[in-house]
Amino acid sequence: MAHNRVVQWSTMSRIWWLYDAKYQCPFRSARIIAGYLQGQHKPIYHALSDVGDHVVVINSRHIAMREELWRTFTFSYHTGYAKGFSRTPAWRLHSMEPTMMIEKAVYSNMPGFLLRRKYMRRLHIYPDEEVPPEIIGNVCDQIQQIQKVPKRLDEYTAEEIQAFPKLFDWSEEYVIENISADKPKDTVKAAKK
Amino acid sequence: MVFLSRQVYGRLHRLRKMHEGITHPDRTNKKNFIFRMTWHFYGRRRNCYTIAIRAAQKMLQRASKNRHQKKINMKALWVQRITAALQEHQFEYTPFMSVLSEADVQLNRKVLHDICIYEPRTFQSLVEFAKQRYNEMGLYDAVAPVPPGIMTRSMFEKGEKIKAKREIKRQKLGQKILK
């Protein structure tokens, strides 16, 4: 059997992946990114053989968290000395360093052995879409986002809003609460005058 | 008299002593039996008999336990690798294996794992077959995502349940803080 029966040089090469973190949950996307850094998406994966890829994360400033997690989720740290404990809410950490949340989430999603630091060096996080050309030049594929990016109401054009199907018209007798709230005030004012 | 090795001299010395009246037999062979197993250990676990025999027994216990554990670990690795190979073709492990067993394709995890590394095209054809068969069997309809723009009663109920759970959690947290 010839040894060159299956020649797959690109199997052992490191691929650069792009991940757009816009409106994505940092914790759930960190689990996926950690898998790519360790090479868990490859059939030749082994925990001790270093077959992981590079991941470039962009838009880390625009990550999204559900409910009130920006306020309630905290990162704690202890210096090791007395009174060395500190606790920072997520919004504060994110405003200070917009790449920190993703980095911490990915770091905690990987097994704690010596390869972890090596894997983390292959993670490149950028707060916006501006990436240096020597990094973005390597990127050859994209990781699928975990959730759909929602479209804001002001992003719709007037034509799209006009074209949206209207199932029925409100009857004239139907009172919409917010609109009716203004009217009595005027009438009261008018009555005073 | 010339003795070529210390051991032989020691044994003959022992025999002479036994003539003189020592009753217990020579333990050299028994000790060597243990030392032959502990030659690669560190420190006194290697050369001192009372310590070496305990280390050897523990080693044998671990060896017999890990003979079973090795099979479990290998199976887990195969499953992980097959899952990774299926991810390239947008398919999942459980439906893939269930289709193969249903179609009487007698390839076990070990062989599938070898195929997915060394013969990716063969593996791709297997996946294509599995995908088609999975749709034919109608199993996909049960787990298929709901098409966009459709709301059903069950979706609302599910959301309500999740909300209620969160509310209970929040209340519990609040009670803890009050305490």
Side-chain angles (χ1 to χ4, degrees):
Chain A
M1 192 167 62
H3 286 292
N4 60 358
R5 187 166 58 100
V6 189
V7 179
Q8 300 173 54
W9 296 115
S10 56
T11 309
M12 304 306 291
S13 66
R14 289 196 200 290
I15 303 169
W16 288 62
W17 296 85
L18 185 75
Y19 185 77
D20 189 359
K22 191 162 192 177
Y23 295 134
Q24 304 299 308
C25 172
F27 308 116
R28 280 197 291 139
S29 43
R31 207 179 297 159
I32 289 165
I33 293 168
Y36 276 84
L37 289 173
Q38 292 171 69
Q40 283 177 354
H41 61 294
K42 295 182 179 182
I44 55 166
Y45 168 78
H46 190 269
L48 301 178
S49 59
D50 187 4
V51 291
D53 287 343
H54 289 261
V55 179
V56 182
V57 179
I58 58 168
N59 281 329
S60 76
R61 197 194 298 279
H62 306 295
I63 50 174
M65 290 212 285
R66 66 173 160 76
E67 297 190 345
E68 303 207 343
L69 277 182
W70 281 115
R71 188 171 61 76
T72 54
F73 193 87
T74 50
F75 292 91
S76 46
Y77 178 69
H78 203 291
T79 56
Y81 295 97
K83 298 178 183 176
F85 182 72
S86 75
R87 179 178 279 165
T88 319
W91 66 267
R92 189 167 152 73
L93 185 85
H94 194 63
S95 62
M96 289 194 288
E97 190 62 63
T99 58
M100 201 76 158
M101 288 266 295
I102 294 254
E103 196 187 331
K104 274 181 171 291
V106 173
Y107 188 81
S108 62
N109 262 302
M110 278 196 282
F113 64 113
L114 287 175
L115 275 173
R116 174 150 72 161
R117 302 277 173 171
K118 220 173 185 181
Y119 291 142
M120 287 305 288
R121 257 180 271 153
R122 302 208 183 101
L123 176 66
H124 316 272
I125 312 172
Y126 296 96
D128 297 304
E129 286 183 352
E130 293 150 13
V131 185
E134 67 267 20
I135 299 258
I136 201 75
N138 295 319
V139 169
C140 53
D141 210 342
Q142 194 172 7
I143 302 174
Q144 199 183 0
Q145 288 181 322
I146 47 165
Q147 54 200 51
K148 268 188 183 173
V149 177
K151 205 173 176 183
R152 285 204 311 273
L153 276 179
D154 59 331
E155 285 171 352
Y156 285 96
T157 58
E159 291 169 5
E160 277 175 325
I161 293 169
Q162 278 294 322
F164 193 79
K166 199 176 181 185
L167 293 180
F168 60 91
D169 288 317
W170 295 110
S171 67
E172 287 178 7
E173 294 167 357
Y174 187 83
V175 182
I176 297 171
E177 204 175 327
N178 291 339
I179 299 168
S180 61
D182 299 333
K183 282 180 182 174
K185 280 179 188 173
D186 298 336
T187 50
V188 169
K189 278 177 188 174
K192 275 181 182 174
K193 282 172 186 175
Chain B
M1 212 171 173
V2 177
F3 296 111
L4 292 177
S5 71
R6 223 163 38 161
Q7 280 81 3
V8 176
Y9 173 73
R11 277 184 168 190
L12 285 173
H13 180 71
R14 187 88 190 167
L15 283 173
R16 258 183 242 128
K17 281 252 173 182
M18 280 176 83
H19 269 293
E20 288 167 15
I22 291 176
T23 49
H24 59 262
D26 188 9
R27 291 218 185 93
T28 314
N29 281 340
K30 191 186 171 188
K31 284 181 180 179
N32 282 348
F33 175 71
I34 297 298
F35 286 141
R36 229 176 283 145
M37 286 192 283
T38 61
W39 63 270
H40 58 292
F41 287 2
Y42 178 81
R44 289 201 299 164
R45 285 153 63 89
R46 177 194 153 105
N47 287 329
C48 295
Y49 179 71
T50 46
I51 299 172
I53 190 165
R54 272 182 270 147
Q57 280 171 354
K58 193 69 195 170
M59 181 265 282
L60 290 171
Q61 279 175 17
R62 282 183 186 137
S64 52
K65 199 177 79 181
N66 289 355
R67 230 175 288 136
H68 183 56
Q69 187 63 36
K70 188 187 174 183
K71 286 165 190 117
I72 297 171
N73 291 350
M74 287 309 289
K75 188 180 161 184
L77 182 66
W78 294 333
V79 170
Q80 189 162 24
R81 284 178 166 182
I82 293 168
T83 312
L86 286 168
Q87 198 183 317
E88 291 174 6
H89 304 297
Q90 288 86 44
F91 206 47
E92 281 162 28
Y93 176 78
T94 318
F96 179 66
M97 295 304 275
S98 62
V99 165
L100 288 196
S101 66
E102 186 260 356
D104 206 17
V105 177
Q106 298 197 340
L107 300 176
N108 60 5
R109 290 181 193 86
K110 186 184 176 183
V111 174
L112 282 173
H113 145 265
D114 283 341
I115 287 174
C116 78
I117 294 174
Y118 294 106
E119 297 182 21
R121 297 292 174 195
T122 316
F123 190 75
Q124 189 185 2
S125 60
L126 273 174
V127 175
E128 272 167 22
F129 162 73
K131 266 185 185 176
Q132 201 180 333
R133 185 77 191 117
Y134 190 57
N135 285 337
E136 278 173 16
M137 284 157 77
L139 290 175
Y140 180 70
D141 296 336
V143 292
V146 182
I150 291 178
M151 296 296 241
T152 59
R153 189 184 297 278
S154 64
M155 285 164 78
F156 283 114
E157 281 166 0
K158 204 178 173 186
E160 288 299 316
K161 265 184 193 173
I162 292 167
K163 268 185 198 169
K165 264 186 189 174
R166 274 186 202 152
E167 193 55 43
I168 290 163
K169 244 188 198 175
R170 227 178 262 154
Q171 283 172 6
K172 276 182 185 170
L173 271 177
Q175 282 168 3
K176 261 187 192 174
I177 291 162
L178 282 176
K179 275 173 192 172

